[in-house]
């Protein structure tokens, strides 16, 4: 009986720790780090749209941009630590559940686990770059390499097509949720004044919609690569953004999407301050 009570007490303490100050701080640091990356990618894409930029508009370009700034090494280490905090927060949600009545369901835990793995990889790549033991990486090259390796597998063409379709669907869902302001459920709305709330809605709707459009476009390129059986047709973030400039709207569509990514960076900062975690 005592053993059972002790085990129950131990689990309760672990759960309290998972919902404690440290994990909440990790979540807010992670959201801030994500905001920095989106902000920099958006600025780099704006420069490309206006014909004044030569860096890649992706995570690698953002890291190189930070590295070239005063105290760049410190900023890179801080960014990597923040992303590691994001991975820790998502791990906590996957193991112990997220806030809310359905926070402990598989519908919430499985996506949290996927996000944990993703941000752990991103944090590692950023910290490796900060330590000088890795390069910033090109999202375009990585996308082509991953697509080519996937197509070499049995039924690889179908796997790439299904993966690309899933990314398209995810992009549509992200955009629709932004337009519906679904993020309101995650915010401390009672702590927001009218002006702050309007500002969050501008950044949340505009930024989330732009992010969804980019996801959907990248997924569509992956589907096309699978259908044509040409891995080189797959595009990373940089090539996907540049492709907007090739539409009938020209560079102005790229500028609009890039501005949306800047807004999403600002929205991430707002989430770091007012999100319920």
């Amino acid at each position: 009986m005592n053993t059972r009570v002790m085990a129950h007490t131990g689990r309760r303490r672990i759960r309290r720790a998972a919902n404690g100050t440290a994990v909440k701080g990790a979540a807010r640091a992670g959201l801030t780090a994500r905001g920095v990356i989106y902000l920099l990618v958006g600025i780099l894409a704006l420069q490309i749209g206006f014909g004044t930029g030569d860096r890649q508009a992706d995570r690698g370009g953002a890291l190189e941009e930070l590295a070239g700034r005063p105290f760049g090494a410190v900023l890179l280490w801080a960014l990597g630590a923040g992303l590691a905090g994001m991975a820790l927060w998502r791990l906590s949600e996957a193991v112990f559940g997220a806030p809310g009545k359905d926070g402990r369901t598989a519908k919430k835990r499985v996506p949290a686990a996927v996000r944990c793995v993703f941000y752990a990889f991103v944090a590692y790549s950023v910290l490796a770059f900060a330590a000088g033991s890795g390069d910033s990486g090109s999202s375009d090259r990585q996308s082509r390499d991953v697509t080519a390796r996937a197509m070499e597998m049995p039924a690889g063409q179908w796997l790439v097509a299904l993966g690309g379709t899933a990314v398209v669907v995810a992009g549509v869902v992200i955009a629709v949720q932004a337009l519906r302001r679904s993020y309101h459920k995650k915010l401390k709305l009672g702590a927001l004044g009218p002006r702050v709330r309007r500002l969050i809605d501008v950044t949340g709707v505009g930024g989330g919609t732009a992010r969804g459009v980019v996801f959907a476009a990248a997924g569509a390129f992956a589907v096309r690569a699978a259908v044509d059986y040409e891995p080189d047709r797959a595009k990373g973030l940089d090539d996907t953004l540049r492709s907007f400039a090739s539409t009938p709207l020209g560079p102005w569509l790229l500028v609009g999407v890039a501005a949306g990514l800047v807004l999403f960076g600002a929205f991430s900062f707002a989430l770091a301050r007012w999100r319920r975690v």
Side-chain angles (χ1 to χ4, degrees), residues 20-33:
T21 304
V23 172
K24 289 180 179 179
R28 302 199 189 284
L31 289 167
T32 301

Side-chain angles (χ1 to χ4, degrees), residues 6 8 37 79-80 86 108 112 116 148 193 207 228 236 270 274:
M6 289 174 63
H8 178 71
I37 290 178
L79 186 66
M86 178 75 94
K108 295 291 185 179
C116 171
D228 295 342
W274 286 291

